[in-house]
C-alpha cells in the first residue's frame, strides 16, 4: 500500500502525478491510501484525486482509512478501518471492538471488501502497548471470523516502530518478538 496521506493539492499536481507514475508498475504496491481517519477532502475533491490516480494507474485500489466507521464514502474501492485494542493498563478496548466494527459495516450493507489494519506497534503518547504475538494472531483471526477480506498493518508513518525517544524500543529491532509473530499468525 502506498500511503499518500494528504499529498495532493492543486499546487503540487505535477509532483503527485510523478509519484503515481513511479509507483504504477511497482510489484510491491497494490493500492493507494489517500488519508487517515479524518478527511482533508470533500467528497468531490476525493473523487477528483481518485480519478487523477485512475488516469495514471487504473489497476490498483484507492481508499482511505476510516476510524471504526466502515462504509463512509461512496468512492473507496475497499472499506478500510482500524481498531487498536491494546492500551496500557486499560481493559476497555478488546478484540470484541474489532469484531463489532466489522459486524456493523456488514450490517450497513457495505458493497465493498472490508480490510482491517491490525495493531502491530506501541505508541507511548497514546498509551498503546505493543501486542504480544498471540494478541496479534487474535486480531487477525477475529477480523477473519467476523468477515474481513483483507488485513494489513502499517509502519511507514509509525515513528513508534523504530527505536526513538517517544516510544522506546520498537518491534522492528526486537528479533525475538519478530520471530514469534509469523508462527503465531500462521498456526492452524
Amino acid at each position: 500500500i502506498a500511503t499518500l496521506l494528504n499529498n495532493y493539492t492543486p499546487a503540487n499536481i505535477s509532483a503527485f502525478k510523478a509519484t503515481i507514475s513511479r509507483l504504477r508498475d511497482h510489484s510491491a504496491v497494490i493500492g493507494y491510501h489517500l488519508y487517515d481517519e479524518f478527511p482533508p477532502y470533500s467528497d468531490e475533491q476525493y473523487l477528483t484525486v481518485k480519478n487523477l490516480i485512475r488516469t495514471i494507474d487504473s489497476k490498483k485500489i484507492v481508499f482511505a482509512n476510516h476510524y471504526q466507521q466502515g462504509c463512509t464514502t461512496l468512492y473507496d474501492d475497499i472499506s478500510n478501518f482500524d481498531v487498536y485494542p491494546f492500551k496500557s493498563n486499560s481493559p476497555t478496548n478488546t478484540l470484541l471492538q474489532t469484531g463489532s466494527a466489522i459486524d456493523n459495516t456488514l450490517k450497513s450493507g457495505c458493497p465493498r471488501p472490508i480490510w482491517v489494519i491490525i495493531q502491530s506497534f506501541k505508541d507511548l503518547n497514546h498509551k498503546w502497548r505493543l501486542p504480544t504475538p498471540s494478541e496479534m494472531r487474535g486480531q487477525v483471526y477475529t477480523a477473519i471470523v467476523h468477515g474481513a477480506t483483507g488485513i494489513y498493518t502499517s509502519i511507514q508513518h509509525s515513528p513508534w516502530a523504530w527505536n526513538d525517544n517517544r516510544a522506546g524500543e520498537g518491534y522492528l529491532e526486537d528479533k525475538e518478538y519478530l520471530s514469534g509473530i509469523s508462527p503465531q499468525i500462521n498456526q492452524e
Side-chain angles (χ1 to χ4, degrees), residues 26-40:
H26 198 294
S27 63
V29 176
I30 63 169
Y32 303 101
H33 177 198
L34 293 186
Y35 66 82
D36 190 42
E37 296 180 356
F38 304 103

Side-chain angles (χ1 to χ4, degrees), residues 12-187:
N12 74 353
I13 192 167
S14 294
F16 188 81
K17 286 180 173 181
T19 299
I20 301 303
S21 295
R22 191 174 71 250
L23 297 173
R24 176 183 54 218
D25 296 320
H26 198 294
S27 63
V29 176
I30 63 169
Y32 303 101
H33 177 198
L34 293 186
Y35 66 82
D36 190 42
E37 296 180 356
F38 304 103
Y41 312 121
S42 67
D43 281 352
E44 183 179 311
Q45 290 169 317
Y46 182 91
L47 189 55
T48 298
V49 174
K50 181 178 178 179
N51 288 336
L52 175 63
I53 291 170
R54 287 283 185 253
T55 63
I56 300 166
D57 185 350
S58 62
K59 296 178 183 174
K60 293 182 179 61
I61 59 173
V62 178
F63 67 98
N65 176 48
H66 304 285
Y67 175 73
Q68 300 184 30
Q69 296 173 5
C71 261
T72 58
T73 176
L74 300 174
Y75 307 118
D76 287 334
D77 293 330
I78 62 170
S79 178
N80 174 257
F81 53 87
D82 56 40
V83 180
Y84 299 146
F86 302 110
K87 291 196 172 194
S88 300
N89 303 319
S90 175
T92 58
N93 290 351
T94 69
L95 290 176
L96 295 175
Q97 289 180 302
T98 300
S100 293
I102 296 167
D103 293 345
N104 291 336
T105 301
L106 289 169
K107 285 177 192 171
S108 77
C110 184
R112 294 180 291 283
I114 299 171
W115 288 21
V116 177
I117 303 173
I118 62 167
Q119 181 182 342
S120 61
F121 59 84
K122 66 180 173 181
D123 178 353
L124 299 182
N125 292 327
H126 290 94
K127 301 195 183 328
W128 285 312
R129 66 175 174 77
L130 188 65
T132 67
S134 292
E135 288 170 332
M136 287 196 51
R137 181 174 187 260
Q139 289 178 89
V140 169
Y141 279 94
T142 297
I144 291 168
V145 165
H146 284 269
T149 55
I151 297 166
Y152 72 100
T153 188
S154 176
I155 60 168
Q156 179 180 357
H157 289 285
S158 302
W160 48 84
W162 290 273
N163 191 358
D164 63 21
N165 292 331
R166 288 169 288 184
E169 184 178 312
Y171 79 89
L172 292 178
E173 296 177 358
D174 187 337
K175 302 299 183 207
E176 182 179 347
Y177 181 80
L178 287 175
S179 68
I181 291 173
S182 181
Q184 287 293 319
I185 290 175
N186 294 316
Q187 179 181 350

